[in-house]
Structures are given as structure tokens and as C-alpha cells.
């Protein structure tokens, strides 16, 4: 595969229409990397391996470098390129972003607020699947009340020393880097005393304990930090500015991420159509409406991000609508394929069971549904 | 409320249209906005946006006009080479009594009325051939059931040309109805938010209670979803995915009713009185849901269509993401 990458304003692929059409043509040729990942794989480690190989090929072929600025190893363009890439991958059978979800949750914030020389090296490694990322926000004692987190970063002569515990840290066991939110202010400083760091998960003092999930996948982990040293150049944003960094990330996790996730839901729905029965047409129609609502609201989010407008509290709407759509799609899948609840004979059913169960917990990650509703009540409706 | 940059153009038209509705009423507003003249320019994105803004405005302001019929008639007039804005289309409403009832929205006295009879072409009826029977509903919606004698009327637009206009007309009408539904539902939500801010129980405004806050946040999310899909329909027009008009209308009916129900729950008993305006918003949403297919009637066929065609119902990236005009 040798795709000619042309950096600069004259590159026709900077036009999203051209990019989407060319990528589609390449995927129609069924490159080897696509064939492996598109088959149903219930064993998570095997799925991770296939996904990493796909990402390596997309990076070699330059496809995944569009949508990122040249200063960090990209080829230019905007989030619309990335949105088009994942939409095309979903349509051609890639079942989900898996451990590359952080490309659309963490990476935009790293590019906007991360230490530039480091991000310029780390982003290409991430895109190529060589060095992955985890997000260290939640703690055993700090979930929805994120500002109460207790992991500390203490200043030393040449950097910082971190102590504490993080939980629900997605893909920590596969990741090289963790974007960590830690307390640099007083214990009472709440959201004002937080700072965001990049921590090397290979460093001495880091211990990762995978959490086996109820749906059989193991993307989550608990991570302990025991006197872990961080150099001074690994701060994202400013010292004491961790809350702003976290909000930037969460606005992506809620607003634009809905686009990326919903592309796969569309495809899951289409994949299940051959098993559908007329009795469930109303449920199917309702799922279609819910997906259409996600397309439209998350597209507004993508456009806002592409023009550098902050997403703010409005990001809660696509997040709520995504959860509703994911549950509506899988309500219909379960109704139309009751076997997925009990049949263990095929990978296809196993993967659908995993996805069905996951759709029951989507109202928790990225801020629980109740927190999204609180955000809208307070910041959009301005209730007392 | 916070707005994103994308909201601005549409919101400007909405503000202007709502102001015109408040000062001049529905019919007067259409004249003062030059709305009828805009109908000939539905192919231009900006002017199309202005045409549709009127519907959300009249939903919000609970004003009535013949705009829906004017918009529905436009593709027929175009197909027949007739002048825009001269005729108002009637709307068939499905009825469990086993017949299709013809209705007209807004004051259509002395207007030429278009009646489409699939298979037989479309006919334009003179005012003298029409009997208008007012339908008395809350919602400040001027609605008439129509008796028209077409036995001796000549077919004005023959079936091949009417057939071309039919789908286009239904798409435009459904998107317009969705916008009017969201306007009316937003009005209901605004009343409920105001109530939750001022009504005190247990020594504090009820809007401080999470149960109440969450009802209102869901209602707002229901409205945001309608508004977003309708805006996409207006922006993309004929580039929208197949059956998108039905998706938009079905979603508007479903979410619009749900938003009104949530608002009513927050209002409590006062919202269920003739004195309070909530019932006007709620009744308008119900009445509009009944036109051009209720959500209950549209949703199962959408599912059946997906099942029968194995269609990918989403937007192509090249259309949605590649459009530089957003």
C-alpha cells in the first residue's frame, strides 16, 4: 500500500467530499487489515490486535492523519475528516473504535492544550496504534463528584510526584500514556486545585489491575500510583487548570463523540435487519428516529468544533440522545434475536450479547445521565 | 439559552418571524414578511430557511396562517407552471372512521384550494365550490374541515405532473409541521420552566428539586432533537436521505407530545386548566401530529421499509460532512 500523502493547501483530500470518496474506494478493495477486524471476534485481546493492525495500516496509508494539524504529525483538515473516516470504517464492517475511542475523547484536548513537543511525538504513535492512551479521572471515592478527587501531585525539584488511585480507567492495560487529573491544591480546593498531567504507565510505582466486566470484555482497569515521578514538561493546560482540561475532554466525550459511536450503531442495526420480524417494526422505526436525532445533534457539535466554537453544556444533548439511541437499537436487537441472551454457540451472538449489555451501561460513562440532566437544568434552562 | 454558531442564521429569521406574528397576526405576518414571494425560491438555501422559520414562529406564538397549505401547493403549481402563492393546498387527515378528511390550516376564506387525489391528478377548486366547517379546538389553530364538490371540476394538474409534485409536497409539509410542533412544544417548555422558577413548595422553588429539573431537561432534549433533524431537512432539502421527511415528522410528533407531557407534569393541576396556556400548546402539538401522518402511523412503516430494503438509512458522509455551506 503506498498512498501518496500530499501535505499542503493543494492537497485535494483536504476537501472532505474527495477524502470520503477516495477512502470509500480504498475500503471497497477490502484491504487485508479490514478483513480481520470486520469478522466477529468475542475474545477481547484478539479484537484489540486486529484493531491495532487496522490503525497501523490507516496511518501508513495516511488516511488517519487527515483531520489533525501538521504541527502534531497530521496532514491538515478538521474533525470532519475524522468523522468521515470512522463513518466509512463503520460502513465497511469495523465494529467499533475500541481502544481508539480516546482519539476522539482525549486527543483533541491534547492537541489544544497539551505540551506541544510531546504531543507532536505522541499523537502519531497513537494514530499508528503503537502507543495507546488511558484516561485517569474517576476514583473509588470520586465518580459523578469529580471535583472531590484525592489523587495528589506534589511538586519536587524536577517535576511532580503522584500518589493515589484511579478507577474505570479505560484500556489502561493496553496503554502507554495516561491523562491524569490530580490534586495540586489543598485538599479542600475542589475543582480549583486540579492539574492535568501525562503519566507514563510504564513508570515505576504504577500498578494496573484489570477489571473484568459483566459483559465479558475487559477494557476497564484500576490504576494505583505510588510515588510516581512525572517530569515538569508533562502538564496539560496550566497548573491549577485541570478542571478546564477535564471539561474540554468531557465536552468531546459527550458532544462530538456521539457522532463516532452512532456510526457503529447504524451499522449494527443494518447488520441485524436480515433477522428482523414485522412484529418489531415499531421498535425498529423508533430506533431509526433516535439515530437520526444523534446524527443531527452531533453534526452540529462537529461543525462547532471545526470552527473552534466551544461546545459547552449543549454537549449534554447529543450525549443523552446517543444513550437513548443505543438502548433503542439494542432493545430492538434483543426483541428480534432473543437467542443473544442465551446462545453461546457463536461469536456473532457473543459479540451482540456484549454490545447489548454494554448498551445498558452507556448512561453511566462520560458523566452519568443524571449529571447530564443536571447540566442542562442548570446551565441551559437556568433553573434556580 | 446558549446558541452555537449554526443557530444564528436560522435564529435571526425566527426572531423576525415571531415579531411579525406578534404584531400582525398570521395572515398579516406572511404579507409583511413577503413570505408568499419567497415560495418561488425554495431552491435557495437562505430563502428556504426563511420560509421555514415562519412555522416555528407560529408554533411558539400560537398564531395561525395558511402558510402550510401555501407551501404544500408550491410543488404542484411549479409542475403545472402556475404562479406561486396563488393557491392553498388542503391536507388529508387519516381518520379511524375509515375515510380521509380534508382539512385546511389557517384562514383560507376566499382562497383557491388545491385538492390532490392520487391516481386522478390534482384539482383547484374555486371558493364557491367549497364549504368550510370550522373545527373548534384549543391551540388557537384555525382549522377547517372541507367539503368540496369536485364532481364537475376539471382536473387542473394531470396525474403525471401531480405525481411528481406529491412526494416533494409531502416532504416540505412534514418538515414545516415538525418545525411548528417544536415551536409549540418549546412554548410549553418555557411556561413550565417559568412555573418551576416561581412556584414554591416545601419552602423553595420546585425547580430546585432534581425530579422536576430532570423532567424539564428531558423536555428540552426532546425539543433539541426535533429542531436539529428539521434544520437538517431544511438545509439538505432534496439531498436528505430517503424518507427523511417521514423521519422528521414522526420524531416531531413523538418528541413533541412527550415534551408537552413532561411540561404538564411540572405544571401540575394549573396546567390542566382552560385558564392556563399550556393546553393551547399541547393541543396544537396533537393537532399538528395528526396532519400528514401521525407519529404512531409513520413509525412502523419506516421499520418495515428498512426491513424490506436492507437500506442504510444514514446520511452519506459526502453529503453531510462534505457540504461546505454549513
Amino acid at each position: 500500500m503506498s498512498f501518496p500523502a500530499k501535505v499542503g493547501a493543494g492537497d485535494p483530500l483536504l476537501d472532505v467530499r474527495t477524502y470520503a470518496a477516495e477512502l470509500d474506494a480504498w475500503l471497497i478493495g477490502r484491504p487485508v487489515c479490514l478483513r480481520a477486524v470486520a469478522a466477529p471476534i468475542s475474545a477481547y485481546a484478539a479484537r484489540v490486535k486486529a484493531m491495532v493492525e487496522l490503525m497501523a495500516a490507516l496511518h501508513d496509508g495516511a488516511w488517519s492523519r487527515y483531520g489533525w494539524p501538521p504541527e502534531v504529525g497530521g496532514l491538515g483538515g478538521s474533525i470532519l475528516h475524522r468523522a468521515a473516516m470512522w463513518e466509512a470504517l463503520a460502513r465497511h464492517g469495523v465494529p467499533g473504535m475500541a481502544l481508539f475511542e480516546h482519539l476522539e475523547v482525549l486527543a483533541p484536548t491534547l492537541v489544544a492544550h497539551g505540551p506541544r513537543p510531546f504531543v507532536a511525538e505522541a499523537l502519531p504513535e497513537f494514530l499508528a496504534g503503537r502507543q495507546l492512551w488511558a484516561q485517569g479521572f474517576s476514583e473509588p471515592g470520586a465518580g459523578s463528584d469529580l471535583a472531590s478527587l484525592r489523587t495528589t501531585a506534589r511538586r519536587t525539584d524536577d517535576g511532580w510526584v503522584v500518589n493515589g488511585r484511579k478507577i474505570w480507567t479505560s484500556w489502561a492495560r493496553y496503554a502507554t500514556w495516561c491523562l491524569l487529573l490530580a490534586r495540586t491544591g489543598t485538599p479542600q480546593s475542589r475543582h480549583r486545585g486540579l492539574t492535568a498531567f501525562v503519566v507514563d504507565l510504564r513508570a515505576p510505582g504504577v500498578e494496573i489491575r484489570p477489571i473484568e466486566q459483566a459483559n465479558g470484555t475487559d477494557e476497564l482497569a484500576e490504576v494505583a500510583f505510588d510515588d510516581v515521578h512525572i517530569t515538569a514538561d508533562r502538564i496539560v493546560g496550566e497548573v491549577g487548570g485541570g478542571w478546564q482540561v477535564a471539561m474540554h475532554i468531557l465536552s468531546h466525550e459527550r458532544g462530538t463523540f456521539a457522532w463516532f459511536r452512532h456510526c457503529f450503531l447504524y451499522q449494527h442495526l443494518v447488520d441485524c435487519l436480515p433477522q428482523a420480524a414485522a412484529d418489531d417494526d415499531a421498535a425498529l422505526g423508533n430506533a431509526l428516529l433516535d439515530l437520526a436525532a444523534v446524527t443531527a445533534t452531533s453534526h452540529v457539535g462537529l461543525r462547532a468544533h471545526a470552527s473552534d466554537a466551544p461546545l459547552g453544556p449543549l454537549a449534554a444533548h447529543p450525549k443523552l440522545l446517543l444513550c437513548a439511541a443505543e438502548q433503542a437499537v439494542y432493545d430492538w436487537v434483543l426483541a428480534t434475536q432473543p437467542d443473544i441472551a442465551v446462545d453461546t454457540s457463536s461469536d456473532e451472538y457473543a459479540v451482540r450479547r456484549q454490545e447489548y449489555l454494554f448498551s445498558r451501561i452507556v448512561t453511566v460513562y462520560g458523566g452519568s445521565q443524571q449529571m447530564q440532566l443536571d447540566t442542562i437544568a442548570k446551565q441551559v434552562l437556568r433553573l434556580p | 439559552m446558549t446558541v452555537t454558531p449554526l443557530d444564528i442564521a436560522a435564529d435571526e429569521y425566527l426572531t423576525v418571524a415571531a415579531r411579525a406574528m406578534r404584531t400582525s397576526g398570521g395572515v398579516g405576518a406572511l404579507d409583511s414578511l413577503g413570505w408568499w414571494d419567497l415560495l418561488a425560491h425554495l431552491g435557495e438555501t437562505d430563502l428556504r430557511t426563511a420560509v421555514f422559520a415562519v412555522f416555528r414562529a407560529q408554533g411558539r406564538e400560537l398564531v395561525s396562517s395558511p402558510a402550510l397549505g401555501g407551501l404544500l401547493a408550491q410543488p404542484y403549481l411549479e409542475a403545472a407552471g402556475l404562479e406561486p402563492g396563488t393557491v392553498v393546498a388542503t391536507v388529508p387527515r387519516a381518520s379511524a372512521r375509515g375515510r380521509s378528511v380534508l382539512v385546511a390550516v389557517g384562514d383560507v376564506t376566499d382562497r383557491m384550494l388545491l385538492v390532490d387525489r392520487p391516481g386522478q391528478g390534482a384539482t383547484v377548486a374555486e371558493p364557491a365550490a367549497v364549504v368550510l366547517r370550522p373545527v373548534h379546538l384549543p391551540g388557537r389553530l384555525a382549522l377547517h374541515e372541507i367539503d368540496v364538490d369536485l364532481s364537475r371540476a376539471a382536473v387542473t394538474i394531470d396525474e403525471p405532473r401531480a405525481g411528481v409534485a406529491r412526494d416533494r409536497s409531502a416532504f416540505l409539509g412534514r418538515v414545516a409541521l415538525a418545525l411548528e410542533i417544536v415551536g409549540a412544544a418549546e412554548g410549553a417548555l418555557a411556561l413550565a420552566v417559568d412555573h418551576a422558577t416561581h412556584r414554591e413548595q416545601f419552602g423553595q422553588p420546585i425547580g430546585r428539586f432534581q425530579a422536576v429539573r430532570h423532567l424539564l431537561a428531558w423536555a428540552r432534549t426532546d425539543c433539541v432533537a426535533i429542531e436539529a433533524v428539521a434544520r437538517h431537512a431544511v438545509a439538505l432539502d432534496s439531498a436528505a436521505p430517503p424518507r427523511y421527511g417521514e423521519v422528521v415528522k414522526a420524531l416531531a410528533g413523538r418528541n413533541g407530545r412527550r415534551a408537552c407531557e413532561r411540561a404538564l407534569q411540572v405544571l401540575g393541576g394549573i396546567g390542566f386548566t382552560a385558564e392556563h396556556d399550556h393546553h393551547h400548546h399541547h393541543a396544537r402539538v396533537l393537532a399538528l401530529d395528526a396532519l400528514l401522518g401521525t407519529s404512531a402511523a409513520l413509525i412502523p412503516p419506516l421499520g418495515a421499509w428498512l426491513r424490506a430494503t436492507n437500506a442504510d438509512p444514514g446520511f452519506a458522509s459526502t453529503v453531510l460532512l462534505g457540504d461546505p455551506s454549513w
Side-chain angles (χ1 to χ4, degrees), chain A residues 16-17 20 80 83-84 87 91 259 266-267 269-270 273 276-278 281-282 284-286 288-290 292-293 295-297 299-300 302-303 309 314 317 320-321 369-370 373-374 376-378 380-381 383-384, chain B residues 1-2 4-6 189 193 196-197 205 207-208 210 213-214 216-218 220-221 224-225 228-229 232 247 250-251 254 299-300 302-304 306-307 310-315 317-318 320-324 326:
Chain A
V16 178
R17 255 181 298 211
L80 298 172
E87 188 271 335
R91 202 159 18 81
W259 169 273
Y266 258 123
Q267 204 51 47
L269 179 140
V270 171
L273 285 174
D281 280 348
L284 176 56
N286 272 306
L288 174 63
L289 303 193
D290 289 325
T295 307
T297 53
H299 177 235
V300 171
L302 292 176
R303 293 287 177 169
L314 293 176
H317 292 300
L320 288 169
L321 293 165
Q369 182 149 292
Q370 287 64 35
L373 293 166
D374 280 350
I376 294 166
K378 186 177 173 186
V380 180
L381 296 176
L383 285 165
Chain B
M1 292 184 193
T2 325
T4 65
L6 285 181
L189 174 58
V193 167
T197 306
R208 292 225 179 103
Q210 206 169 44
R213 296 165 79 83
H214 288 190
L216 294 170
W218 273 123
R220 160 82 175 163
T221 304
V224 165
V229 294
H232 277 70
V247 168
L251 188 132
R254 185 192 74 175
I299 289 170
L302 283 169
L306 281 183
R307 208 165 34 76
N310 271 339
D312 182 342
F315 286 90
S317 275
T318 45
L320 190 61
L321 302 172
D323 183 348
W326 275 87

Side-chain angles (χ1 to χ4, degrees), chain B residues 131-166:
Chain B
V131 177
L132 296 173
R133 285 183 287 106
V135 180
H136 297 288
L137 281 175
R140 302 193 183 124
L141 187 66
L143 199 64
H144 293 87
E145 285 190 358
I146 290 165
D147 290 329
V148 54
D149 180 9
L150 292 173
S151 58
R152 281 161 303 175
V155 170
T156 319
I157 302 167
D158 61 27
E159 178 57 23
R161 282 182 298 163
V164 171
R166 199 166 288 135

Side-chain angles (χ1 to χ4, degrees), chain A residues 184-255:
Chain A
T184 46
T186 64
Q188 294 77 32
S189 58
R190 297 280 300 168
H191 60 276
R192 291 178 305 279
L194 303 176
T195 303
F197 297 91
V198 176
V199 185
D200 188 336
L201 290 173
R202 299 162 299 187
V206 175
E207 193 189 337
I208 297 168
R209 189 176 65 81
I211 299 171
E212 191 183 339
Q213 290 174 210
N215 69 341
T217 68
D218 58 352
E219 53 192 65
L220 298 176
E222 187 169 358
V223 185
F225 299 88
D226 184 10
D227 280 338
V228 176
H229 182 251
I230 311 176
T231 53
D233 59 351
R234 294 288 161 78
I235 291 176
V236 180
E238 290 168 11
V239 174
W243 189 253
Q244 288 70 32
V245 172
M247 289 306 107
H248 194 271
I249 288 170
L250 288 175
S251 78
H252 279 283
E253 184 162 3
R254 294 167 185 173

Side-chain angles (χ1 to χ4, degrees), chain B residues 157-244:
Chain B
I157 302 167
D158 61 27
E159 178 57 23
R161 282 182 298 163
V164 171
R166 199 166 288 135
D167 282 353
R168 173 81 182 140
S169 174
F171 172 81
L172 295 172
R174 285 180 173 134
V175 174
L177 284 164
L179 282 163
E180 188 161 337
I181 285 172
V182 76
E186 285 168 332
L189 174 58
L191 292 173
V193 167
D194 186 61
H195 181 76
T197 306
H198 296 106
R199 166 74 172 168
E200 295 197 357
Q201 288 288 272
F202 304 101
Q204 54 182 323
I206 60 168
R208 292 225 179 103
F209 294 106
Q210 206 169 44
V212 170
R213 296 165 79 83
H214 288 190
L215 278 171
L216 294 170
W218 273 123
R220 160 82 175 163
T221 304
D222 281 333
C223 291
V224 165
I226 305 172
E227 198 275 338
V229 294
R231 175 174 304 198
H232 277 70
V234 173
L236 290 161
D237 199 29
S238 50
R243 304 189 72 155
Y244 198 61

Side-chain angles (χ1 to χ4, degrees), chain A residues 43-66:
Chain A
Y44 201 70
R47 205 188 301 174
V48 166
K49 181 171 174 290
M51 199 61 202
V52 166
E53 284 168 6
L54 171 73
M55 293 307 288
L58 288 168
H59 188 256
D60 284 350
W63 299 111
S64 64
R65 295 173 65 194
Y66 286 93

